[in-house]
Amino acid sequence: MAKGRIHRTGRRRPLSLVSGYGIVLATSIAPLRAQSLSVSPVTLTLAAGQQATSLTVRNDAAVETVVQLRPFAWTQAPEDVLTPADDVIVSPRIVTIPPHSNQVFRLLVRHKATSRELTYRLLLDQIPRASEPGTVRMVLRLSLPIFVDPVAPANPDVRFRLASRQGDPVLMLENSGARHALLRNVVLHDKDGAAIAVKNEGSQYLLAGVTRAFAIQDTSVRSAPYNGYRLTMESGKGPIVVALAR
């Protein structure tokens, strides 16, 4: 079985597009703007001894809008699973934001830091106003990640291997570290350097302690041998190149 390894230094269904809502999964650190709303920051990270933080939402529309925030515990099994989080307090939970105005939301995480990073998601819903008969108003739903650092400094520890599932090749990614890894542009390369696309139709995050399978589009990739194969990806901290040895 081929394996590669890197060290970085430093059942509810997953939410999807629902009728009348557009969902945006935030993975950037830059302010996020969608329709008439802008949100900053879009990734909330709390230090191990920190329990409170804040989020600013701006309404740039010419009319007021109603916004609701709901916290969820976030796990992967291996796809994203969200369950209501009683240990995260948001204030206010629902508020009307006047036109061309900012609203600051306060967040309190009551769960103390542990040896592994704590992960949550904050759903921001724009509540629709009444629409005229025969029309549908498209409103916004944002899903913002919340990370609470572990008590001791930690990094992701991502391992790679190639395997077979029902006769088809798959790329297995396992994060045995205590922090999440951010995965973008995952590409497998054969011994001649040709790129083999890897399908990632789910979250771009690989949470601590999670293993996920990624389908490989080129079915000629089989279980032996793997000499010369390598993997490239973007981790959020620059490109990574990993050799897959036998």
Side-chain angles (χ1 to χ4, degrees), residues 11-15 72 79-84:
R11 165 103 119 144
R12 292 190 180 185
R13 296 285 298 171
L15 291 165
F72 291 81
E79 300 304 324
D80 289 351
V81 177
L82 302 183
T83 54

Side-chain angles (χ1 to χ4, degrees), residues 42-84:
V42 296
T43 299
L44 302 166
T45 302
L46 285 75
Q50 178 186 1
Q51 290 187 287
T53 188
S54 63
L55 174 78
T56 300
V57 179
R58 178 168 179 80
N59 176 22
D60 285 320
V63 296
E64 66 183 21
T65 189
V66 179
V67 171
Q68 179 183 32
L69 270 66
R70 294 175 295 150
F72 291 81
W74 173 26
T75 58
Q76 291 179 332
E79 300 304 324
D80 289 351
V81 177
L82 302 183
T83 54

Side-chain angles (χ1 to χ4, degrees), residues 14-16 25 27 74 76 78-80 121 182-184 198-206 212-215:
L15 291 165
S16 57
L25 301 179
T27 58
W74 173 26
Q76 291 179 332
E79 300 304 324
D80 289 351
R121 275 196 175 269
L182 179 59
L183 312 176
R184 291 196 180 108
V198 177
K199 297 179 183 178
N200 180 14
E201 299 174 350
S203 173
Q204 290 188 335
Y205 290 97
L206 184 64
R212 291 177 55 200
F214 295 78

